[in-house]
């Protein structure tokens, strides 16, 4: 094992700038790590070897030239990144974890990919996910499950289990995920990594294959809070190609992460996001984090968000409704899989039916049926309409809570990583993993998950939530907790991981 893979993105950036290492060496170390462990982890659906090395070579050439050319390099130039395979990329297949898009090549780059290219960050490849980002375990991928590097018999969370596992297994220092109901934060929590769902509209969704457009958000995954902030600054900002993109800049996020501090900060404990349904071990780590934050000068207050108990129900009407509409474009006609019915007549409806029957997995079909039903005449008001009203109530709960607190805090997920297969046949049990993460998506507010320690030898995540556009507060609070905990542990949580024989 090459020790280069143990460094954070910020450390690698510093080493590259000081010419202590070349970008080619950094990329090669990560490609070697992928070759070494990904047969077991299955975080990657595609490894982008040639292009990653070519971009690294460009960075090294520019740096060697010195002068203006070197000066133009972005701070993260040469630092490699993995991309959730829901985000479209020229030159690498984009599958969305679905047989529907097996081998599909996008004719355009997502806005976040354009930004990563502009920063000359070598893309290591595309990471595994639950099909069309529907799931909490990455078991709904058409390409086999990803495994949790802490315990290969356990799930890495979902839908972005590939991105989180890649980062936790030191296959990549950084990754991009998407979070519609928790798919960045919950995988980060159960793999001991950091994940951020930015404010809705803070990062362009252009080129993220849409699951539920009013909830989807692209965001960073990393091993440190600072690294997520650095990546967030690369991908954030206004994009005219996304009609829901915010016009103001994302703020000084890395600075907030560097000066992490909770002295005088009012931290609201959400009464409804703990207790029943949360593992005792998770609750213990959560309570310890609260004590540390209090000791560092935070003012801990209790807030109540009574409508959060309806959030999961509302989400599982709104999300499938939007998904049923967004996934209508996979019709076997325009692109992707086309299956011709075996018998006549060869009508367009029958081609669509055969293609969708073969191309979509069970969970995707379940949600399309649910969404189509919720939107149908006669049921629209009772289901979709009511869910939208609950969404407004959840937003009001947040408004009231943020009048009392600068940030809110909760466990990110109610349990640690469960065994592969354990919840696969029980959709409701699977959906419950997102109770604590979903309210943020319904309200459009940002959230972060930071490692909070171990329960039963498995990582627990602590979530902070902030008001819309106040993403900087997440980094300030998250970095403060990270430091308090690392001082206690004597180093990062992932350094304790039995990550496939250890990386130390
Ligand atoms: N696990 C949630 C779901 O299945 C969240 C998915 C996501 O955020 N993409 O819908």
């Amino acid at each position: 094992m090459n020790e280069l893979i143990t460094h954070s993105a910020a450390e690698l950036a510093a080493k590259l700038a000081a010419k202590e290492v070349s970008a080619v060496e950094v990329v090669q170390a990560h490609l070697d790590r992928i070759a070494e462990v990904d047969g077991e982890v299955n975080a990657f659906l595609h490894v982008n070897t040639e292009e990653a090395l070519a971009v690294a070579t460009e960075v090294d050439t520019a740096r060697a030239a010195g002068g203006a050319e070197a000066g133009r390099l972005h701070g993260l130039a040469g630092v490699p990144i993995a991309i959730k395979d829901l985000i479209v990329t020229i030159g690498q297949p984009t599958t969305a974890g679905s047989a529907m898009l097996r081998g599909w090549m996008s004719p355009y780059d997502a806005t976040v990919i354009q930004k990563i290219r502009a920063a000359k960050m070598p893309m290591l490849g595309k990471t595994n996910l639950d099909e069309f980002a529907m799931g909490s375990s990455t078991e709904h991928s058409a390409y086999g499950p990803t495994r949790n590097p802490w315990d290969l018999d356990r799930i890495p969370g979902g839908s972005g289990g590939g991105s989180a596992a890649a980062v936790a297994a030191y296959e990549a220092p950084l990754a991009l995920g998407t979070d519609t109901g928790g798919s960045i934060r919950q995988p980060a929590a159960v793999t001991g990594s950091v994940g951020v769902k930015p404010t809705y509209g803070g990062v362009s969704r252009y080129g993220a294959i849409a699951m539920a457009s009013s909830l989807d958000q692209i965001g960073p995954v990393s091993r440190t809070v600072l690294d997520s902030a650095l990546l967030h600054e690369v991908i954030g900002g206004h994009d005219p190609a996304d009609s829901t993109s915010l016009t103001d800049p994302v703020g000084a996020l890395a600075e907030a992460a560097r000066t992490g501090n909770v002295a005088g900060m009012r931290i609201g404990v959400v009464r409804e996001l703990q207790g029943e349904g949360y593992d005792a071990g998770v609750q213990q780590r959560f309570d310890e984090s609260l004590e540390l934050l209090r000791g560092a000068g935070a003012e801990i207050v209790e807030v109540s968000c009574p409508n959060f108990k309806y959030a999961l129900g509302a989400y599982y009407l709104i999300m499938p409704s939007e998904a049923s509409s967004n996934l209508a474009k996979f019709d076997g006609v325009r692109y992707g899989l086309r299956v011709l019915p075996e018998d006549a007549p060869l009508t367009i409806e029958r081609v669509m039916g055969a293609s969708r029957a073969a191309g979509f997995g069970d969970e995707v079909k379940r949600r399309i049926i649910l969404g189509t039903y919720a939107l149908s005449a006669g049921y629209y008001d009772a289901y979709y309409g009511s869910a939208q009203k609950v969404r407004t109530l959840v937003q009001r709960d947040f408004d009231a809570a943020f009048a009392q607190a600068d940030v809110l805090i909760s466990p990110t997920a109610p349990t640690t990583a469960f065994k592969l297969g354990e919840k696969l046949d029980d959709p409701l049990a699977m959906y419950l993993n997102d109770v604590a993460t979903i309210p943020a998506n319904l309200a459009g507010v940002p959230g972060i998950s930071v490692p909070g320690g171990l329960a039963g030898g498995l990582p627990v995540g602590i979530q902070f939530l902030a008001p819309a556009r106040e993403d900087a507060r997440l980094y300030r609070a998250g970095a403060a907790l990270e430091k308090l905990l690392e001082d206690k542990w004597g180093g990062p949580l992932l350094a304790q991981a039995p990550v496939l024989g250890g990386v130390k």
Side-chain angles (χ1 to χ4, degrees), residues 5-300:
I5 63 166
T6 63
H7 293 292
S8 69
E11 288 164 356
L12 289 173
K15 284 183 179 294
L16 286 163
K19 296 192 194 173
E20 275 174 43
V21 284
S22 71
V24 167
E25 286 171 309
V26 171
V27 167
Q28 192 59 55
H30 288 91
L31 290 170
D32 291 347
R33 176 68 172 172
I34 293 169
E36 181 194 339
V37 303
D38 210 54
E40 284 177 280
V41 179
N42 196 32
F44 283 87
L45 296 179
H46 173 78
V47 182
N48 192 31
T49 307
E50 271 173 42
E51 191 192 46
L53 287 169
V55 171
T57 304
E58 276 177 45
V59 173
D60 289 339
T61 308
R63 198 155 263 139
E69 213 181 323
R72 272 196 299 275
L73 285 176
H74 187 279
L76 291 181
V79 177
I81 182 166
I83 310 291
K84 186 179 185 182
D85 203 19
L86 194 67
I87 300 172
V88 304
T89 45
I90 293 174
Q92 299 180 68
T94 302
T95 68
S98 180
M100 188 60 101
L101 289 177
R102 190 183 294 276
W104 180 69
M105 299 295 286
S106 170
Y108 72 105
D109 272 332
T111 297
V112 292
I113 300 299
Q114 292 170 26
K115 289 177 182 244
I116 279 165
R117 287 193 202 279
K120 291 202 191 298
M121 297 173 67
M123 287 186 274
L124 294 169
K126 306 293 289 284
T127 59
N128 201 10
L129 67 156
D130 286 294
E131 185 176 7
F132 289 106
M134 299 182 190
S136 302
S137 67
T138 317
E139 293 167 295
H140 294 304
S141 168
Y143 305 98
T146 297
R147 291 163 183 276
N148 191 322
W150 286 80
D151 177 348
L152 294 172
D153 292 332
R154 292 180 187 268
I155 60 102
S159 64
S163 283
V167 165
Y170 295 84
E171 296 172 83
L174 295 171
L176 284 184
T178 66
D179 192 311
T180 303
S183 285
I184 292 175
R185 289 163 288 160
Q186 181 257 4
V190 300
T191 58
S193 39
V194 175
V196 177
K197 181 200 100 69
T199 296
Y200 184 75
V203 175
S204 171
R205 287 182 295 113
Y206 181 72
I209 295 176
M211 177 190 186
S213 313
S214 76
L215 303 161
D216 297 343
Q217 195 57 202
I218 295 175
V221 183
S222 61
R223 287 190 297 267
T224 71
V225 173
L226 173 61
D227 281 2
S228 273
L230 291 167
L231 178 55
H232 194 158
E233 287 185 350
V234 173
I235 59 175
H238 180 64
D239 178 17
D242 173 356
S243 64
T244 57
S245 172
L246 297 173
T247 48
D248 23 1
V250 285
L253 307 176
E255 190 195 311
R258 284 200 180 94
T259 55
N261 182 4
V262 287
M265 192 185 270
R266 294 173 305 163
I267 300 182
V269 181
V270 186
R271 189 186 301 154
E272 288 77 8
L273 297 183
Q274 54 176 320
E276 199 193 334
Y278 289 78
D279 281 356
V282 169
Q283 189 71 44
Q284 250 173 25
R285 294 292 89 77
F286 177 66
D287 293 342
E288 279 170 17
S289 285
L290 280 185
E291 275 320 304
L292 284 175
L293 291 164
R294 202 194 307 268
E299 186 191 331
I300 308 290

Side-chain angles (χ1 to χ4, degrees), residues 261-396:
N261 182 4
V262 287
M265 192 185 270
R266 294 173 305 163
I267 300 182
V269 181
V270 186
R271 189 186 301 154
E272 288 77 8
L273 297 183
Q274 54 176 320
E276 199 193 334
Y278 289 78
D279 281 356
V282 169
Q283 189 71 44
Q284 250 173 25
R285 294 292 89 77
F286 177 66
D287 293 342
E288 279 170 17
S289 285
L290 280 185
E291 275 320 304
L292 284 175
L293 291 164
R294 202 194 307 268
E299 186 191 331
I300 308 290
V301 296
E302 185 170 308
V303 298
S304 176
C305 297
N307 294 294
F308 279 18
K309 60 177 169 294
Y310 308 119
L312 191 75
Y315 172 87
Y316 276 101
L317 287 167
I318 293 168
M319 187 282 306
S321 296
E322 293 187 21
S324 71
S325 164
N326 276 325
L327 268 58
K329 61 181 169 283
F330 301 103
D331 56 7
V333 176
R334 282 172 282 193
Y335 53 91
L337 182 74
R338 176 180 301 164
V339 176
L340 301 179
E342 276 167 20
D343 48 348
L346 198 64
T347 63
I348 192 161
E349 285 81 7
R350 296 189 74 230
V351 173
M352 268 184 217
S355 302
R356 288 166 71 84
F360 289 142
D362 288 352
E363 183 61 23
V364 172
K365 286 177 185 159
R366 182 178 298 126
R367 296 199 194 192
I368 290 174
I369 292 168
L370 199 63
T372 311
Y373 181 73
L375 291 176
S376 57
Y379 294 106
Y380 181 94
D381 285 334
Y383 294 117
Y384 185 73
S386 304
Q388 289 292 18
K389 288 180 187 158
V390 169
R391 188 170 191 174
T392 303
L393 295 175
V394 168
Q395 283 161 352
R396 287 190 193 150

Side-chain angles (χ1 to χ4, degrees), residues 137 139 151 153-155 416-424:
S137 67
E139 293 167 295
D151 177 348
D153 292 332
R154 292 180 187 268
I155 60 102
T416 54
F418 45 91
K419 287 253 164 76
L420 284 157
E422 195 180 317
K423 299 188 182 178
L424 201 50

